[in-house]
């Protein structure tokens, strides 16, 4: 019963070397054991001692030897070989662990990746090529498997950096009773079909691009702010040099809407408003015609009466004081314009739109 209770691990490395291991201290309680094997079949077997022991704290816990055939028999005995603890016979071909893929190549076309490697010399039909990949946004590896010795997958994002690794797998249960795979090939890093040293380079590039974009944006905003300040400062001399000309159409809104273009009627209605407005802005230095005449009487007619500058034929009822005030409010004119019996003095800074 003890012969069946011992658990061993059997690995045939690419059908080149055999490795048999067992739990020495748990199974044999600090007693050392010996190991022997044979690839011979039939009655005349030649048992060979273990050429290389694997140790666990100075106790024999395994044996490593060359693979010499498809059928293997092993025996574990006490240290002097007088008592057998365990024996087993099996097909060594069912415990093969393949080697790593050789000469791995990566071919990119748009978003499609094709990975291939050299074909092994033996048992190609029992092998599969496995590709695993992930980006920094993936928590787990994505896997694709195909018959030896090429595997293809698509849908890769050219903006992402991918970590890639490949290995060989042995078909189960067609060729193996244990699901053995080779060790992983060295991990490589790819982005948009370009081989990188690591995906950290992608992070550095992204950070550099972000810093560049932010710097350019801040520079543009700063330039716009400076231009806005300069524009505000330049508006002041522009207003002084080229003042805006007021639009006179709003002054005559009442003439067109309320009086249907009757200028005389509009003038009668708005005359007292204009006079009141002008009186509010009368300068104290202005001397009215009435005052001037009064002074002329005192000074024995030293100076002649002032000439009325702005007179209308329909406003004789206005007092002399009002006419004099209007005369003070009107600037000196160089040109007299006549319209419908009215005489208007104009200078270079005045215009009339009807």
């Amino acid at each position: 019963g003890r012969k069946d209770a011992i658990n061993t691990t059997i690995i045939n490395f690419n059908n080149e070397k055999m490795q048999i291991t067992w739990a020495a201290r748990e199974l044999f309680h600090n007693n050392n054991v010996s190991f022997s094997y044979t690839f011979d079949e039939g009655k005349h077997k030649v048992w060979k001692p273990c050429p290389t022991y694997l140790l666990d704290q100075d106790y024999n816990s395994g044996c490593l030897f060359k693979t010499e055939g498809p059928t293997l028999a092993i025996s574990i005995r006490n240290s002097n070989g007088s008592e057998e603890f365990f024996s087993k016979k099996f097909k060594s071909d069912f415990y093969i662990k393949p080697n790593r893929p050789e000469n791995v190549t990566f071919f990119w076309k748009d978003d499609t990746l094709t990975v291939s490697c050299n074909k092994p010399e033996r048992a190609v039909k029992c092998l599969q090529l496995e590709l695993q990949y992930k980006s920094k946004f993936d928590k787990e590896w994505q896997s694709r498997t195909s018959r030896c010795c090429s595997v293809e997958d698509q849908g890769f994002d050219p903006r992402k950096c991918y970590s890639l690794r490949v290995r060989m797998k042995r078909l189960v249960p067609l060729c193996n009773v244990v699901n053995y795979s080779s060790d992983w090939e060295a991990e490589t890093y790819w982005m948009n079909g370009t081989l990188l040293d690591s995906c950290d380079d992608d992070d550095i590039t992204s950070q550099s691009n972000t810093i560049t974009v932010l710097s350019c944006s801040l520079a543009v905003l700063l330039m716009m702010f400076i231009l806005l300040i300069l524009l505000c400062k330049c508006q002041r001399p522009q207003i002084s040099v080229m003042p805006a000309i007021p639009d006179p159409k709003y002054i005559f809104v009442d003439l067109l809407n309320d009086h249907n273009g009757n200028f005389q009627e509009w003038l009668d209605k708005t005359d007292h408003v204009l006079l009141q407005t002008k009186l509010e802005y009368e300068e104290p230095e202005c001397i009215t015609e009435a005052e001037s005449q009064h002074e002329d009487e005192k000074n024995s007619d030293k100076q002649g009466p002032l000439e009325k500058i702005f007179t209308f034929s329909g406003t004789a009822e206005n007092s002399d004081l009002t006419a004099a005030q209007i005369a003070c409010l009107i600037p000196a004119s160089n040109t007299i314009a006549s319209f419908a019996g009215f005489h208007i003095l104009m200078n270079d800074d005045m215009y009339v739109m009807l």
Side-chain angles (χ1 to χ4, degrees), residues 256-268:
L256 301 176
N257 294 338
D258 300 337
H259 303 284
N260 297 323
N262 190 331
F263 182 78
Q264 185 62 47
E265 180 183 348
W266 171 81
L267 192 61
D268 294 340

Side-chain angles (χ1 to χ4, degrees), residues 9 13 24 41 49 61 70-71 80 86 107 114 126 152 164 213 219 230 240 246 274 341:
T9 301
F13 291 101
E41 298 184 18
S61 61
T71 303
N80 56 19
F86 175 78
F107 177 74
T114 303
C126 290
E152 180 180 300
L164 304 177
V213 172
L230 293 177
S240 301
L274 293 175

Side-chain angles (χ1 to χ4, degrees), residues 202-312:
D202 177 40
D203 296 336
I204 295 174
T205 303
S206 300
Q207 293 177 0
S208 300
N209 294 336
T210 303
I211 293 173
T212 303
V213 172
L214 291 176
S215 301
C216 294
S217 301
L218 291 176
V220 171
L221 292 175
L222 181 60
M223 291 295 296
M224 292 177 63
F225 181 71
I226 294 175
L227 290 176
L228 184 61
I229 294 177
L230 293 177
L231 182 61
C232 292
K233 290 185 176 180
C234 290
Q235 282 182 348
R236 294 181 179 180
Q238 181 180 2
I239 293 175
S240 301
V241 176
M242 295 184 298
I245 299 175
D247 191 351
K249 67 180 180 180
Y250 299 105
I251 301 176
F252 300 97
V253 171
D254 295 340
L255 173 62
L256 301 176
N257 294 338
D258 300 337
H259 303 284
N260 297 323
N262 190 331
F263 182 78
Q264 185 62 47
E265 180 183 348
W266 171 81
L267 192 61
D268 294 340
K269 295 290 184 181
T270 59
D271 183 39
H272 67 284
V273 178
L274 293 175
L275 292 176
Q276 183 177 0
T277 303
K278 292 178 180 180
L279 287 173
E280 292 177 356
Y281 291 93
E282 181 179 2
E283 296 182 1
E285 294 81 6
C286 181
I287 302 176
T288 62
E289 184 179 355
E291 292 175 350
S292 177
Q293 291 179 355
H294 184 64
E295 290 177 1
D296 290 342
E297 293 176 355
K298 291 182 179 181
N299 296 326
S300 301
D301 298 330
K302 292 181 180 181
Q303 190 176 14
L306 294 176
E307 181 182 0
K308 292 185 179 180
I309 298 175
F310 192 92
T311 60
F312 295 92

Side-chain angles (χ1 to χ4, degrees), residues 34-143:
S34 61
F35 178 88
S36 59
Y37 68 96
T38 181
F39 286 95
D40 296 333
E41 298 184 18
K43 295 181 180 180
H44 304 286
K45 296 180 181 179
V46 178
W47 291 89
K48 299 179 179 179
C50 177
T52 305
Y53 278 104
L54 304 177
L55 302 178
D56 181 11
Q57 296 183 1
D58 296 331
Y59 292 98
N60 296 335
S61 61
C63 182
L64 186 65
F65 53 95
K66 184 179 179 181
T67 303
E68 299 175 0
T71 303
L72 173 64
I74 60 175
S75 176
I76 299 177
R77 297 174 175 268
N78 58 5
S79 57
N80 56 19
S82 60
E83 181 182 0
E84 186 177 67
F85 297 146
F86 175 78
S87 64
K88 185 175 183 179
K89 183 179 180 180
F90 53 91
K91 291 287 186 180
S92 61
D93 292 346
F94 287 167
Y95 296 87
I96 292 179
K97 179 178 180 178
N99 286 340
R100 295 177 179 177
E102 297 180 355
N103 194 23
V104 179
T105 58
F106 299 86
F107 177 74
W108 292 87
K109 185 177 180 181
D110 299 330
D111 65 340
T112 303
L113 170 63
T114 303
V115 182
S116 58
C117 65
N118 291 346
K119 290 185 177 181
E121 297 179 356
R122 61 181 74 174
V124 177
K125 294 182 179 181
C126 290
L127 295 175
Q128 289 181 321
L129 183 63
E130 182 181 9
L131 166 67
Q132 286 191 350
Y133 60 89
K134 70 175 180 179
S135 69
K136 60 183 180 181
F137 304 102
D138 300 324
K139 295 182 179 180
E140 297 180 354
W141 289 92
Q142 307 295 321
S143 182

Side-chain angles (χ1 to χ4, degrees), residues 320-351:
D320 294 338
L321 179 61
T322 303
Q325 291 175 343
I326 296 175
C328 289
L329 293 173
I330 303 297
S333 62
N334 299 323
T335 303
I336 299 176
S338 299
F339 178 77
F342 299 97
H343 301 284
I344 304 174
L345 295 178
M346 300 178 60
N347 59 21
D348 295 338
D349 296 331
M350 298 178 58
Y351 66 91

